[in-house]
């Protein structure tokens, strides 16, 4: 666990124009493309300049309106990158650019070729000790099995996700052994399951807003603990974290959370 | 003395041979091997052998070797049985080394999966440990080809191993082993003993037993986890394996989860592994087998070795210079992989775990067995508990007996989902249950009851159960004291499995199951008229259904109601497997009656009967079993129909205390116990079941054993007035369950104290399971059990004796 959150690289992808109109969404909100662009730039800039990560920026693809949410296209743990098979048909091609980028970074690539499998990276929570995979509209059992095969050292437990797009729509790791979790019923229920399935005891940080429970935690040698987060109040409990507020309002309209926009590697 | 040569494959792949007496116990051989290895921390290890079915079994060190291996070869494998969760806490390097050897096997065989990187890292520590620093001169690339680091070893992996090996320069072999273990212990499957099984829906899953509890996998995914503290009871019946789960915060009832194993042996094996792991990792000291003098029948398995806590303590006292030991080259390791030893994933039981101490588990294995439940109630209140049940019975028309049956079943059946089931039942079976009120009472009682076994008591009480009981009794006993609050003392049930030598023999179909089935059936038929018994059954059904969904109703119902026999004396009936429930109640003399008409009558009558050895009415509920037929209850037959006394309630719903009456008639009690004194009511159920159906699901056609089982349940009940029972439910003060096992017998004692209206009632329910072949004198065993119960609790009266007997008509082939 000591190395948890220590990343060196981040892969991000630019916003396509088509995001505003064509990106998948569970709500029906209008996206202000300009503002979204601003927010995304800020996000990338934090990764790059503030946190000093090596950032790989992939170009946008207009044919892939959701391509900015790179998290769903790959799961990286240790030296291995699992290229996923996203649950939404329209997003399957997003993995191509991701695969190329991760190969470039020297990771050993595992591909999900099974046509019956689907997995979105947004459903994968890696705690540093084990994986939890949300079984959601986008991720199925077979996808989870393939993930378990790719990362054999770790226990992989499945967690049913209801009423939310992804498992990480309401949770994320906010530190080593610390799970940030939303206060909603769905989130709490999922947390209970995770706790039961685990041999480890996690601390939890409950946030009133599910979306706020999605943050990006890093532990960088030069920066100490950092967390990108949306809401200040609760996170201020994390006294020794450097909290970096990042606005994400526009992408949220298309169900994009903070973790969605980067794939991090050690 | 005849001597035999044993061959033992050691962890480094070498063979060790030694002579032992033909009748030697496992321990002798095990110690020989440990001596040979110079191993002191031996409790983590064990010897295994392959049985006739080529399944790996652990050699029980407390038993004769010959009896365990039967006709198999005297060929054994020495291996790790309990994987220490934190190997760094082992005292000696030699122990860690042996653990490393085991893990290398586990990894190479694929039993312990890991990633490429981990394979490489562990491999590099292996090289460092075995060969020392990398020497470019001596170590060319092929120097490692003798080692197997992974199931599928690639050139790429070997290169990576060598690369990492170079980085370990200066590390001693002991340090390399320690590093190896530090990394290996984090692997998710470290120390997990996998067993193939199916869930209740027939889906293939794996049960993983480890130091922390039971893990459920589907393919590679963990789909559930039951930590030891969550598990109240583990049991198996036939090829089914059950765990009873402690209710969560939001839940009110405990539930039982059932799994199907390929066959009975597999079920028993996983059960044993669970028992051992639970004891080793979670208890401070093993449960002590109870010594039951009378019951010579079966013995229940328990882990009798040292627990992790004990072995740690013992090894902290090790005071010797670190023994020198020779490390072996990997060649041997690979050999061993191919060779005989091991690698049957399902066979091994491994554990790591944390030893915590809270023995909350009930470990029950039921194989064929006789169960004797003895319920002793101190006079006054005993009735109370009964009350609630009574109501049910009433519906049926006096079928107190059935109640008893039910209870018996309930106990036997580990699978109860108490609450859930109940609710369902109500809805479905309303017709059957005429008295809603009573039902709701039952529910309540159920809910309240679920006494959780107290951990601490378990250990100690096993042996000392008598003492405990006595105390309780005392409380409850107040004889003539008029208004004594009823105390329910339940006698735990003793269940003993008799396993004649081989364990397998023991496999007895448990009656319980059968009964349950019946119950289910009835509901289906939904004959409104179901006799009381039926009702009772219903209750159980609920529980049953909830628990074991694995068992389809369909599977079980095929049981032609065979003959119903009413036997007055328990002795006569018990054949192969008997369950006897003896309930002793202090008959509440003064009945506060709210007694339904029925209740009232019976009470007095009952008492009289006792005294005079009232005729025993025997009701046979033969047909009951058959689902369809079952419905007709025997209406109140001779017996006071349904005296409220249903003892049944006791087990699970101790709290129900009705009774108010408080006279204790000790006299009666003894009589009842004696058996000679006819209990007022006698009921017998005989069921012949064809288990085949049940097993279909799990077993491939070829293997499907067809088992015809005959089940009989005979209930003797002292006629007592428990009229009060219906009254307000009492407050449950304490409930404890004690299980003890002797070689051949398992006894579970359930003691409940209830406070009701100022009176306390102690109720003791004992269940004794005797399992064995026909050569066992069940009658005698039963008589002994009853006698003992009586002697143990002189102040209490026996209110009911239920004998449940299940006989296999055909051979079960698992």
């Amino acid at each position: 666990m000591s190395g948890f959150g220590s990343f060196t690289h981040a892969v991000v992808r630019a916003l396509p124009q088509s995001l505003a109109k064509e990106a998948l969404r569970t709500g029906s909100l209008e996206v202000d493309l300009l503002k979204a662009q601003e927010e995304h730039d800020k996000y990338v800039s934090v990764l790059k300049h503030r946190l000093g990560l090596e950032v790989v920026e992939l170009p946008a693809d207009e044919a892939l309106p959701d391509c900015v949410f790179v998290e769903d296209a790959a799961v990286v743990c240790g030296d291995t990158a699992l290229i996923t098979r996203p649950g939404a048909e329209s997003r399957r091609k997003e993995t191509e650019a991701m695969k190329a980028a991760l190969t470039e970074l020297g990771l050993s690539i595992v591909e999900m070729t099974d046509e019956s499998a689907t997995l979105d990276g947004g459903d994968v929570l890696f705690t540093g000790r084990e994986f939890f995979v949300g079984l959601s509209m986008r991720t199925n059992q077979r996808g989870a099995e393939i993930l378990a095969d790719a990362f054999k050292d770790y226990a992989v437990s499945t967690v049913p996700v209801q009423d939310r797009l992804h498992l990480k729509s309401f949770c994320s790791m906010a530190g080593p052994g610390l799970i940030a979790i939303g206060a909603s019923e769905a989130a709490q229920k999922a947390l209970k399951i995770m706790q039961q399935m685990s041999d480890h005891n996690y601390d939890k940080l409950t946030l009133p807003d599910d979306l706020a429970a999605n943050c990006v935690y890093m532990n960088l040698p030069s920066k100490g603990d950092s967390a990108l987060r949306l809401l200040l109040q609760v996170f201020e409990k994390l006294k020794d974290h450097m909290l970096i507020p990042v606005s994400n309002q526009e992408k949220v309209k298309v169900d994009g959370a903070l973790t969605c926009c980067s794939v991090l590697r050690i | 003395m005849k001597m035999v040569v044993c061959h033992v494959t050691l962890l480094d792949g070498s063979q060790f041979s030694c002579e032992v007496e033909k009748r030697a116990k496992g321990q002798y051989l095990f110690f020989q091997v440990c001596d040979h290895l110079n191993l002191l921390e031996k409790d983590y290890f064990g010897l295994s052998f392959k049985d006739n079915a080529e399944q790996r079994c652990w050699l029980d060190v407390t038993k004769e070797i010959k009896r365990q291996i039967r006709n198999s070869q005297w060929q054994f494998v020495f291996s790790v049985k309990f994987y220490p969760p934190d190997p760094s806490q082992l005292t000696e390097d030699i122990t860690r080394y042996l653990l490393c050897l085991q893990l290398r096997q586990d990894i190479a065989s694929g039993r312990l999966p890991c990633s490429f990187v981990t394979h490489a890292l562990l491999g590099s520590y292996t090289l460092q440990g075995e060969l020392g620093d990398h020497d470019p001169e001596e170590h060319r690339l092929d120097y490692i080809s003798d080692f197997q680091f992974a199931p599928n070893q690639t050139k790429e992996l070997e290169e990576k191993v060598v690369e990492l090996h170079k980085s370990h320069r200066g590390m001693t072999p002991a340090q390399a082993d320690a590093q190896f273990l530090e990394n290996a212990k984090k692997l998710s499957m470290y120390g997990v003993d996998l067993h193939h099984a199916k869930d209740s829906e027939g889906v293939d899953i794996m049960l993983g037993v480890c130091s922390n509890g039971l893990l459920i996998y589907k393919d590679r995914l963990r789909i559930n986890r039951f930590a030891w503290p969550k598990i109240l009871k583990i049991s198996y019946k036939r090829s089914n394996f059950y765990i009873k789960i402690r209710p969560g915060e939001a839940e009110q009832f405990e539930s039982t989860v059932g799994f199907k194993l390929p066959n009975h042996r597999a079920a028993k094996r996983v059960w044993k592994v669970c028992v051992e792991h639970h004891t080793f990792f979670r208890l401070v000291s093993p449960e002590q087998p109870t010594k039951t003098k009378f019951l010579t029948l079966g013995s229940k398995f328990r882990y009798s070795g040292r627990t992790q806590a004990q072995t740690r303590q013992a090894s902290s006292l090790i005071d010797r210079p670190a023994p020198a030991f020779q490390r072996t080259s990997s060649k041997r390791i690979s050999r061993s992989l191919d060779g005989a030893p091991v690698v049957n994933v399902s066979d091994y039981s491994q554990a790591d775990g944390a030893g915590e101490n809270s023995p909350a588990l009930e470990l029950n294995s039921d194989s064929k067995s006789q169960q004797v439940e003895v319920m002793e109630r101190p006079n006054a209140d005993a009735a109370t508990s009964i009350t609630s049940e009574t109501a049910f019975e009433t519906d049926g028309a006096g079928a107190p007996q059935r109640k008893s049956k039910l209870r018996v079943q309930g106990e036997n059946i580990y699978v109860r989902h108490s609450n859930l089931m109940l609710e369902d039942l109500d809805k479905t079976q309303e017709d059957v249950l005429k008295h809603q009120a009573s039902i709701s009472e039952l529910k309540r009682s159920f809910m309240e009851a679920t006494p959780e076994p107290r951990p601490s008591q378990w250990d100690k009480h096993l042996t000392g159960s008598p003492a405990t009981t006595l105390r309780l009794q005392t409380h409850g006993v107040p004889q003539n004291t008029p208004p004594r609050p009823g105390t329910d003392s339940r006698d735990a049930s003793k269940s003993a499995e008799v396993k004649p030598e081989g364990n397998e023999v023991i496999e007895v179909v448990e009656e319980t199951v059968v009964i349950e089935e019946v119950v289910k059936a009835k509901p289906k038929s939904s004959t409104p008229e179901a006799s009381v018994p039926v009702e009772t059954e219903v209750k159980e059904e609920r529980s049953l259904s909830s628990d074991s969904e694995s068992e389809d109703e369909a599977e079980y119902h095929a049981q032609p109601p065979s003959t119903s026999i009413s036997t007055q004396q328990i002795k006569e009936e018990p054949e192969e497997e008997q369950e006897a429930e003896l309930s002793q109640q202090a008959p509440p003399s003064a009945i506060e009656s709210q007694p339904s008409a029925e209740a009232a009558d019976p009470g007095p009558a009952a008492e009289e009967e006792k005294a005079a050895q009232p005729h025993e009415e025997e009701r046979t509920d033969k047909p009951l079993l058959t689902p369809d037929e079952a419905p007709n209850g025997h209406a109140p037959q001779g017996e006071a129909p349904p005296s409220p006394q249903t003892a049944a309630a006791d087990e699970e719903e101790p709290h129900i205390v009705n009774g108010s009456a408080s006279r204790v008639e000790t006299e009666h009690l003894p009589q009842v116990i004696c058996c000679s004194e006819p209990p007022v009511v006698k009921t017998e159920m005989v069921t012949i079941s064809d288990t085949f159906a049940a097993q279909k699901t799990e077993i491939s056609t070829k293997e499907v054993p067809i088992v015809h089982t005959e089940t009989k349940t005979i209930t003797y009940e002292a006629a007592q007035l428990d009229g009060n029972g219906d009254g307000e439910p009492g407050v449950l003060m304490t409930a404890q369950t004690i299980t003890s096992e002797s070689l051949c017998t398992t006894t579970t004692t359930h003691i409940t104290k209830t406070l009701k209206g100022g009176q306390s009632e102690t109720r003791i329910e004992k269940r004794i399971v005797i399992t064995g072949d026909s050569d066992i004198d069940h009658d005698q065993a039963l008589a002994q059990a009853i006698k003992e119960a009586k002697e143990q609790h002189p102040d209490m009266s026996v209110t009911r004796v239920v004998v449940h007997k299940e006989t296999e008509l055909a051979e079960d082939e698992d």
Side-chain angles (χ1 to χ4, degrees), chain B residues 233-489:
Chain B
K233 189 166 12 178
I234 51 188
S235 58
Y236 73 95
K237 286 181 184 171
R238 299 199 184 101
S239 54
N240 295 317
F241 171 71
Y242 302 106
I243 54 177
K244 184 147 115 188
I245 310 298
R246 189 185 296 278
E249 301 163 3
E251 304 144 14
Q252 289 178 323
F253 308 99
E254 50 198 40
S255 56
T256 300
V257 182
F259 304 96
K260 293 191 171 190
L261 279 289
N263 54 51
H264 178 273
R265 279 188 195 169
K268 180 167 185 178
R269 200 158 45 230
V270 73
W271 174 82
K272 271 179 130 180
V273 168
C274 280
V275 170
E276 293 178 325
H277 278 66
H278 174 262
T279 307
F280 187 82
F281 291 109
R282 188 151 171 78
L283 302 189
V284 174
S285 59
E287 294 182 6
Q288 301 205 344
T290 331
K291 310 215 168 174
T292 322
K293 308 139 199 171
F294 13 141
L295 299 179
T296 34
L297 305 181
S299 67
K300 274 220 170 175
F301 169 82
R302 285 292 183 278
Y303 175 72
S304 55
R306 286 199 287 218
T307 63
Q308 179 174 246
Q310 290 172 327
T311 195
R312 278 183 180 165
Q313 192 169 18
S315 40
S316 68
L317 301 177
I318 291 178
D319 182 22
R320 68 171 181 182
F325 56 92
Q326 182 144 25
R327 286 163 190 276
T328 35
S329 69
S330 50
K331 278 192 181 179
R332 289 195 192 155
I333 297 172
S334 40
R335 266 188 232 144
S336 62
L337 291 178
D338 323 340
V342 201
V343 196
N344 196 332
V345 179
S346 41
D347 298 351
Y348 278 97
S349 59
Q350 316 167 345
D352 28 280
E356 306 166 19
N357 319 322
S358 44
L361 262 195
E362 281 181 30
L363 313 174
N364 288 310
S365 66
D366 318 300
S367 21
K368 308 174 174 185
S369 43
Q370 303 183 334
Q371 299 192 352
V372 181
E373 268 189 23
V374 180
M375 300 183 32
E376 299 178 83
R377 291 185 176 186
N379 318 330
D381 319 326
T384 349
S385 52
I386 299 172
T387 339
S388 52
E389 295 189 356
T390 316
F392 288 87
E393 296 179 2
T394 316
D395 304 342
Q401 318 158 348
R402 296 219 169 173
K403 291 181 177 181
S404 51
K405 286 185 179 181
L406 291 178
R407 288 204 167 182
V408 176
Q409 299 174 354
E411 290 198 359
N412 299 338
I413 302 170
Y414 299 99
V415 191
R416 308 164 183 168
H417 261 338
S418 359
N419 310 327
L420 300 178
M421 306 293 293
L422 292 177
E423 294 181 359
D424 293 344
L425 290 177
D426 292 348
K427 297 175 185 175
T428 351
Q429 305 176 348
E430 286 189 0
D431 357 339
V432 181
L433 305 178
K434 298 178 183 179
H435 302 278
Q436 296 285 353
S438 57
I439 297 175
S440 46
E441 261 201 33
L442 267 180
K443 287 185 181 179
R444 215 185 305 149
S445 55
F446 259 72
M447 299 176 44
E448 296 172 356
T450 53
E452 297 181 1
R454 297 182 183 176
S456 49
Q457 303 178 350
W458 283 68
D459 302 332
K460 301 175 184 176
H461 291 314
L462 295 183
T463 347
S465 52
T468 348
T469 7
L470 290 178
R471 293 184 210 153
L472 296 177
Q473 297 176 355
T474 322
H475 296 291
V477 180
Q479 300 188 349
N480 304 328
T481 339
R484 250 296 183 104
T487 329
D488 269 355
S489 60

Side-chain angles (χ1 to χ4, degrees), chain B residues 51 94 116 164 201 207 242 278 318 482 540 554 660 727 801:
Chain B
D51 67 11
I94 189 171
F116 175 86
L164 291 169
E201 290 165 0
L207 303 180
Y242 302 106
H278 174 262
I318 291 178
E540 293 191 352
S660 20
V801 178

Side-chain angles (χ1 to χ4, degrees), chain B residues 670-733:
Chain B
Q671 298 177 353
V672 179
I673 298 178
C674 297
C675 290
S676 46
E677 302 288 333
V680 180
V681 182
K682 196 199 270 180
T683 313
E684 188 176 80
M685 283 175 71
V686 179
T687 309
I688 298 188
S689 59
D690 178 359
T691 9
F692 173 78
Q695 303 190 349
K696 285 185 213 162
T697 6
E698 351 178 19
I699 307 178
S700 63
T701 345
K702 291 183 181 177
E703 297 180 338
V704 182
I706 300 184
V707 182
H708 293 282
T709 315
E710 186 183 59
T711 310
K712 287 186 195 175
T713 302
I714 303 171
T715 308
Y716 302 85
E717 249 181 305
Q720 298 180 355
L721 298 183
D722 302 338
N724 317 327
D726 303 342
E728 347 97 38
V731 179
L732 176 62
M733 297 169 63

Side-chain angles (χ1 to χ4, degrees), chain A residues 19-49:
Chain A
L19 173 87
K21 296 267 187 276
E22 296 166 42
L24 301 172
R25 66 203 78 191
T26 52
S28 54
L29 298 170
E30 285 280 317
V31 175
D32 179 337
L33 197 62
L34 260 181
K35 207 165 165 208
Q37 187 65 55
E38 266 175 34
E39 288 172 357
H40 186 67
D41 289 347
K42 174 82 190 311
Y43 179 91
V44 174
S45 146
V46 166
L47 293 178
K48 205 186 290 184
H49 304 298

Side-chain angles (χ1 to χ4, degrees), chain A residues 13 54 80 95 99 111 129 138 157 183 202 222 231 248:
Chain A
R13 195 162 189 177
E54 193 81 32
T80 304
T95 58
K99 180 184 164 192
E111 290 192 78
R129 295 165 155 149
R138 301 282 178 81
S157 304
Y202 295 103
S222 54
L231 289 187
N248 196 40

